[in-house]
Amino acid sequence: MHGLLITARTMVRRSVTRQYPHAEPDLPSRSRGVIALLAENCTSCMLCARECPDWCIYIESHKETAPPQVEGGRARTTNSLDRFAIDYSLCMYCGICIEVCPFDALFWSPRVFLCHR
């Protein structure tokens, strides 16, 4: 009898439908979302790609030579990020890549960002 009362109460209640593409859902404050990249912090060190257990992070970079900042100094070579991509169909959202990034270039984002330049 108790189950029938719950069913009857649910039947007379109005349904709440969210129009997803037009109205963003209200996410909980502690939800993870997706992994996103701050490209200006990334040094193409490849730590995230090496530590990923699914091998779903792809990084392409090239070396650039910067002129010396002080006269008589030597020229520095730096890695420049060309492409950063995560295959979200393979990613298991474990967060290991975010933890190992020494420059805080990767972070949890509540929205989907394009993660390549």
Side-chain angles (χ1 to χ4, degrees), residues 37-68:
L37 171 75
L38 279 174
E40 54 270 1
N41 289 358
C42 184
T43 60
S44 304
C45 65
M46 306 286 239
L47 278 174
C48 56
R50 278 183 277 173
E51 293 296 323
C52 179
D54 292 331
W55 293 87
C56 64
I57 299 175
Y58 306 100
I59 299 175
E60 292 178 7
S61 64
H62 67 277
K63 293 199 182 280
E64 289 182 351
T65 304

Side-chain angles (χ1 to χ4, degrees), residues 4-64:
L4 187 60
L5 286 173
I6 292 174
T7 303
R9 210 176 306 145
T10 306
M11 284 177 47
V12 296
R13 220 182 275 159
R14 287 188 68 132
S15 63
V16 178
T17 304
R18 302 224 179 206
Q19 303 299 321
Y20 169 64
H22 306 293
E24 292 277 330
D26 297 328
L27 296 175
S29 60
R30 295 191 56 160
S31 66
R32 286 186 177 185
V34 296
I35 298 168
L37 171 75
L38 279 174
E40 54 270 1
N41 289 358
C42 184
T43 60
S44 304
C45 65
M46 306 286 239
L47 278 174
C48 56
R50 278 183 277 173
E51 293 296 323
C52 179
D54 292 331
W55 293 87
C56 64
I57 299 175
Y58 306 100
I59 299 175
E60 292 178 7
S61 64
H62 67 277
K63 293 199 182 280
E64 289 182 351

